[in-house]
């Protein structure tokens, strides 16, 4: 009796010591913007807000009295709609430089949240809104206020931002309203190539009459892959959790690398550098389409719930100047439903919904296989690996596993660099499919931005399509296309 009591006490003490050493599971908290701490870290842009607020008000949803704003495809606006938008933007540009509604101040609002300028409340670490589950949420809130400010400037409570419908062949180039160099909506330094075609992710071609239909079809495939095939759960769709105190870029979701970053890059000029991107008015149409894709995702039954039960997601908050010239703190829980925010998207066809993935046949000479850790046939290539050229790895999997995810872990780079690599999943000795890609956009900052992130892709559908359901191994191939040698990969696994 006595000895077992001693044993129990010992066990309890050991457990207590263990907990003291490793800490109790820390109570996590949502991220929140510090209104009094913003650092101008940029060589050329000062992104921090010019005006310090005397008071911050909590955001309240407006009563649903006015009619819903209807966001329409930018290429389909009629003359009156286009003129309204043009006029509102011109008025915004004409405001005094330090007015919170001024066009450049508005653009800086984006910059401050993607350059390490804004800080997390009370923590003095950067608040970055890309590369995590707040990618969709922050940009929705941003557009919400931007749209209402424009409406206020022209005295129109139904004014709605247009969306750049690049997921439909009719919208796969720079929409006409953004092309006229005398317009407030233009950015004369964009490459002309975007007038013909905008690449959603590896569909570049020579943009001739003969090649354009194929390029457009390729874009639709990218949409299908990024929206349907590779991201079959809300956590994959949104990206990784980002809580108070976390490092930036825990891992972006489905749409962020492609088509999002790809469209930025191919629009060129300001749009291709995150910290400058919102200086091109087309930014807002681009992000309206991203936002629309999120709304479509939410409307699919069964989606969303997993993420939404997380308080650190729902209670995260951001600061924006609203259309009444107040600095407002808005919580993520208020931006989940666009109708509650007073707007909807015009319904247009989704030609990418029901496509079939293209399986490429690969000749064995195309594949240089580097063996994975626990592959008995050990090869020359070891992780961590600097991606300098295409590399293939045998990766083990469990036959019959449900919801398989491919994880490319410990992706390290200087966050200022533009980096793009593609990820293929193939059957050993058989065909392969492009399963996804990693795209990081250029940023401007004085110092190296140490970045460590991961890419996760749902591969259940791809495994079926290459016929590898019964296989213990698949071949994963990483193909660097931009920024060779500038990115290190820590490992590739299937979980
Ligand atoms: Cu905040 Cu499209 O980037």
């Amino acid at each position: 009796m006595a000895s077992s009591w001693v044993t129990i006490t010992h066990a309890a003490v050991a457990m207590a010591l263990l907990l003291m050493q490793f800490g109790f599971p820390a109570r996590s908290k949502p991220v929140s913007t510090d209104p009094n701490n913003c650092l101008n870290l940029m060589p050329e842009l000062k992104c921090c807000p010019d005006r310090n607020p005397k008071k911050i008000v909590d955001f309240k949803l407006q009563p649903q009295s006015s009619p819903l704003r209807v966001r329409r495809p930018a290429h389909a606006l009629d003359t009156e709609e286009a003129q309204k938008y043009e006029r509102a933007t011109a008025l915004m540009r004409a405001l005094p430089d330090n007015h919170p509604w001024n066009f450049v101040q508005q653009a800086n609002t984006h910059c401050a949240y993607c350059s390490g300028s804004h800080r997390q409340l009370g923590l003095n670490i950067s608040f970055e809104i890309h590369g995590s589950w707040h990618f969709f949420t922050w940009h929705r809130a941003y557009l919400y206020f931007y749209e209402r400010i424009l409406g206020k400037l022209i005295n129109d409570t139904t004014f709605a931002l247009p969306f750049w419908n690049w997921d439909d062949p009719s919208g796969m180039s720079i929409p006409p309203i953004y092309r006229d160099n005398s317009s407030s909506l233009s950015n004369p330094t964009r490459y002309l190539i975007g007038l013909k075609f905008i690449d959603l992710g590896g569909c570049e071609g020579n943009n001739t009459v003969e090649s354009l239909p194929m390029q457009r079809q390729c874009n639709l495939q990218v949409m299908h892959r990024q929206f349907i095939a590779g991201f079959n759960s809300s956590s994959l769709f949104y990206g990784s959790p980002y809580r108070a105190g976390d490092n930036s870029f825990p891992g972006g979701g489905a749409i962020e690398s492609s088509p999002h970053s790809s469209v930025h890059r191919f629009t060129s000029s300001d749009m291709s550098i995150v910290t400058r991107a919102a200086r091109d008015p087309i930014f807002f149409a681009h992000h309206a389409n991203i936002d629309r894709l999120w709304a479509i995702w939410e409307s699919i039954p069964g989606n969303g719930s997993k993420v939404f039960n997380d308080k650190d997601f729902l209670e995260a908050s951001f600061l924006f100047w609203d259309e009444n010239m107040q600095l407002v703190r808005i919580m993520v829980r208020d931006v989940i439903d666009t109708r509650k925010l007073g707007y909807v998207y015009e319904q247009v066809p989704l030609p990418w919904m029901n496509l079939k993935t293209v399986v490429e046949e690969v000749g064995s000479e195309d594949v240089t296989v580097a063996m994975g850790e626990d592959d008995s046939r050990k090869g020359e290539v070891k992780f961590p690996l600097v991606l300098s050229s295409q590399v293939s790895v045998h990766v083990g999997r469990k036959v019959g596993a449900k919801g398989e995810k491919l994880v490319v872990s410990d992706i390290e780079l200087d966050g200022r660099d533009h980096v793009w690599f593609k990820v293929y999943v193939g059957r050993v000795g058989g065909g392969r499919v492009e399963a996804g890609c990693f795209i990081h956009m250029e940023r401007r900052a004085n110092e190296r931005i140490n970045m460590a992130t991961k890419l996760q892709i749902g591969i259940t559908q791809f495994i079926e399509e290459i016929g590898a359901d019964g296989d213990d191994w698949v071949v994963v191939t990483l193909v660097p296309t931009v920024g060779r040698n500038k990115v290190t990969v820590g490992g590739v696994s299937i979980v």
Side-chain angles (χ1 to χ4, degrees):
M1 185 66 192
S3 84
S4 70
W5 170 246
V6 170
T7 316
I8 293 168
T9 319
H10 268 165
V13 169
M15 177 63 97
L17 283 175
L18 209 75
L19 280 170
M20 273 161 71
Q21 190 178 350
F22 295 106
F24 290 92
R27 250 197 52 129
S28 58
K29 273 196 185 161
V31 277
S32 172
T33 317
D34 194 331
N36 299 312
N37 191 5
C38 183
L39 307 175
N40 278 313
L41 296 171
M42 314 278 300
E44 38 151 11
L45 305 175
K46 300 220 177 307
C47 303
C48 288
D50 263 6
R51 284 199 195 183
N52 275 331
K54 277 173 224 79
K55 80 173 209 242
I56 297 172
V57 298
D58 286 328
F59 176 77
K60 282 202 191 58
L61 285 166
Q62 303 290 313
Q64 305 283 272
S65 48
S66 43
L68 286 171
R69 299 167 195 252
V70 182
R71 295 186 182 171
R72 305 197 53 234
H75 67 267
L77 294 192
D78 63 32
T79 320
E80 193 193 330
E81 287 166 325
Q83 279 171 355
K84 250 192 209 176
Y85 184 27
E86 209 276 324
R87 191 157 53 85
T89 307
L91 289 169
M92 193 178 238
R93 286 185 189 272
L95 289 167
D97 287 352
N98 71 346
H99 193 293
W101 297 353
N102 174 283
F103 182 75
V104 174
Q105 293 283 338
Q106 286 289 311
N108 282 349
T109 301
H110 181 254
C111 171
Y113 277 98
C114 64
S115 56
S117 302
H118 264 316
R119 313 261 97 192
Q120 296 185 24
L121 188 61
L123 291 168
N124 200 25
I125 61 168
S126 64
F127 189 170
E128 166 66 60
I129 42 90
H130 303 90
S132 79
W133 67 9
H134 287 312
F135 171 67
F136 290 113
T137 63
W138 184 89
H139 290 86
R140 174 168 288 175
Y142 180 43
L143 263 61
Y144 168 83
F145 292 108
Y146 187 79
E147 177 174 76
R148 297 178 81 92
I149 291 168
L150 287 172
K152 183 90 173 219
L153 286 167
I154 53 170
N155 222 338
D156 180 348
T157 55
T158 65
F159 171 79
L161 284 169
F163 64 89
W164 184 358
N165 193 192
W166 37 247
D167 57 307
D168 187 89
S170 59
M172 289 178 187
S173 60
I174 303 221
I177 56 167
Y178 297 97
R179 295 178 178 211
D180 172 3
N181 280 349
S182 63
S183 155
S184 66
L185 299 173
S186 90
N187 181 337
T189 60
R190 290 182 211 124
Y191 303 149
L192 295 177
I193 205 105
L195 302 181
K196 285 200 171 156
F197 184 70
I198 285 289
D199 179 12
L200 302 190
C203 300
E204 290 161 89
N206 41 26
N207 303 318
T208 57
V209 185
E210 294 77 40
S211 73
L212 275 173
M214 269 160 58
Q215 290 174 246
R216 294 190 187 114
Q217 191 56 33
C218 172
N219 267 351
L220 295 179
Q221 290 289 351
V222 171
M223 278 305 301
H224 181 74
R225 179 184 80 219
Q226 296 300 116
F227 195 96
I228 305 284
F231 295 91
N232 41 11
S233 75
S234 281
S235 59
L236 287 171
F237 189 80
Y238 282 89
S240 299
Y242 179 53
R243 306 174 199 274
D246 285 353
N247 286 330
S248 305
F249 310 107
I255 303 291
E256 187 171 348
S257 268
S258 153
H260 164 259
S261 295
S262 182
V263 170
H264 270 283
R265 169 172 148 82
F266 281 85
T267 310
S268 77
S269 183
D270 288 335
M271 271 285 275
S272 63
I273 304 161
V274 192
T275 37
R276 297 190 64 92
R279 294 186 169 222
D280 187 330
I282 205 169
F283 174 99
F284 298 91
H286 176 38
H287 271 277
N289 205 33
I290 297 288
D291 187 62
R292 170 180 158 261
L293 294 177
W294 177 23
I296 293 170
W297 174 267
E298 280 305 304
S299 70
I300 299 172
N303 284 351
S305 52
K306 232 194 244 141
V307 177
F308 293 160
N309 289 332
D310 194 315
K311 269 189 142 193
D312 290 343
F313 179 78
L314 292 168
E315 292 177 7
S317 63
F318 320 114
L319 296 176
F320 294 96
W321 286 93
D322 74 358
E323 73 279 16
N324 302 313
M325 277 292 282
Q326 287 182 307
L327 190 67
V328 172
R329 187 178 288 284
I330 186 168
M331 273 199 199
V332 163
R333 67 162 81 256
D334 285 325
V335 304
I336 304 298
D337 184 345
T338 76
R339 282 180 179 268
K340 289 193 184 149
L341 291 174
Y343 72 90
V344 287
Y345 288 97
E346 182 171 295
Q347 303 240 346
V348 296
L350 305 172
W352 40 267
M353 264 293 180
N354 303 306
L355 295 179
K356 242 191 100 33
T357 313
V358 181
V359 179
E360 289 175 30
E361 289 311 319
V362 205
S364 54
E365 69 281 0
D366 293 343
V367 183
T368 42
V369 176
M371 305 304 170
E373 272 298 327
D374 37 7
D375 191 325
S376 52
R377 299 155 293 173
K378 287 234 188 275
E380 325 75 70
V381 177
K382 292 258 184 301
F383 289 107
L385 170 83
V386 177
L387 265 194
S388 50
S389 59
Q390 164 171 323
V391 59
S392 297
V393 195
H394 280 184
V395 181
R397 62 178 285 266
K398 273 208 195 70
V399 175
K402 295 255 173 319
E404 279 175 284
K405 269 192 306 193
L406 175 69
V407 184
V408 183
S409 50
D410 299 305
I411 304 173
E412 293 187 358
L413 60 144
D414 181 343
R416 293 176 300 178
D417 290 335
H418 177 36
V419 164
W420 182 339
F421 63 83
K422 299 180 177 183
V423 181
Y424 291 84
V425 175
R427 184 161 192 206
V428 179
R432 69 177 191 184
V433 293
E434 186 175 346
C437 61
F438 175 82
I439 307 180
H440 179 74
M441 285 172 65
E442 186 182 337
R443 281 168 169 64
R444 299 262 165 96
N446 283 329
E447 283 168 22
R448 184 186 159 94
I449 304 173
N450 284 317
M451 186 177 156
T453 188
K454 63 179 175 300
L455 171 66
Q456 304 190 86
I457 304 172
I459 54 168
T460 308
Q461 185 174 327
F462 299 131
I463 295 276
E464 260 172 53
E465 284 161 338
I466 58 173
D469 319 47
D471 298 356
D472 295 323
W473 299 93
V474 291
V475 184
V476 174
T477 304
L478 307 178
V479 183
T481 61
V482 183
R484 281 165 191 263
N485 292 315
K486 286 186 171 169
V487 57
T488 304
V489 170
V492 181
S493 57
I494 293 175
V495 296

